[in-house]
């Protein structure tokens, strides 16, 4: 329960028909929204030294993305981690960001360093946020 609370999954789990004893399986539609949060809680319980995260915030709504980013921050604290992401907000606080282009490292640095370079990362980041702002404006 402590891990679920740290990853913002507790309220969702507690609201399930049998709470923490609820059986879930393939195609559990109601469970889909919080599946990633539950996975992060499981990682906290397992307490691995190295953590690999691949596209954790793809195909989710903005509200869930924020919950997942908070969970990521909690889970990755004090761990060696590799994060693969197209949503650059996921890696913004990373110690080191590698921009891979055509299979090669095109740029490397912190978010601030890469933004200051105004290279590929800068272009991707500003384009991504411009697109998100336009979608939010239309909604």
């Amino acid at each position: 329960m402590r891990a679920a609370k740290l990853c913002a999954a507790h309220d969702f789990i507690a609201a399930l028909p049998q709470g923490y004893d609820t059986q879930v399986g393939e195609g559990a539609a109601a469970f889909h929204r919080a599946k990633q949060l539950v996975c992060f809680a499981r990682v906290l319980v397992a307490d691995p030294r190295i953590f690999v995260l691949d596209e954790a915030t793809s195909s989710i709504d903005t509200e869930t993305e924020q919950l997942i980013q908070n969970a990521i921050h909690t889970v990755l604290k004090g761990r060696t981690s590799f994060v693969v992401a197209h949503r650059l907000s996921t890696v913004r606080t990373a110690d080191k960001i590698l921009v891979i282009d055509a299979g090669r490292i095109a740029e490397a640095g912190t978010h601030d360093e890469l933004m200051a370079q105004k290279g590929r990362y800068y272009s991707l980041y500003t384009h991504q946020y411009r697109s998100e702002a336009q979608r939010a404006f239309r909604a």
Side-chain angles (χ1 to χ4, degrees):
M1 279 192 210
R2 182 179 167 276
K5 287 177 183 178
L6 285 171
C7 292
H10 173 75
D11 291 343
F12 170 80
I13 295 169
L16 291 170
Q18 288 87 36
Y20 281 84
D21 294 324
T22 302
Q23 295 289 320
V24 293
E26 292 296 319
F31 189 66
H32 179 73
R33 185 171 188 265
K35 182 170 54 174
Q36 288 155 305
L37 297 174
V38 172
C39 287
F40 289 124
R42 293 177 70 195
V43 168
L44 281 177
V45 171
D47 196 25
R49 291 182 2 189
I50 298 175
F51 190 72
V52 178
L53 190 59
D54 187 7
E55 297 293 354
T57 57
S58 63
S59 305
I60 55 172
D61 61 84
T62 306
E63 181 183 336
T64 305
E65 179 184 4
Q66 187 59 52
L67 289 173
I68 289 173
Q69 286 185 3
N70 292 341
I72 289 170
H73 183 73
T74 299
V75 169
L76 299 185
K77 195 176 293 183
R79 302 176 200 284
T80 298
S81 56
F82 299 91
V83 179
V84 177
H86 284 89
R87 276 197 181 166
L88 300 179
S89 56
T90 304
V91 298
R92 188 166 187 219
T93 60
D95 295 330
K96 188 170 205 171
I97 299 168
L98 302 176
V99 180
I100 309 295
D101 191 12
R104 298 193 185 280
I105 298 173
E107 297 174 341
T110 65
H111 170 79
D112 292 338
E113 291 167 348
L114 293 171
M115 291 299 284
Q117 289 176 18
K118 296 195 186 256
R120 183 83 175 122
Y121 179 86
Y122 174 87
S123 176
L124 291 167
Y125 189 85
T126 55
H127 176 73
Q128 191 171 92
Y129 279 91
R130 193 175 316 118
S131 296
E132 288 178 12
Q134 288 171 347
R135 278 192 299 272
F137 181 72
R138 283 186 232 133

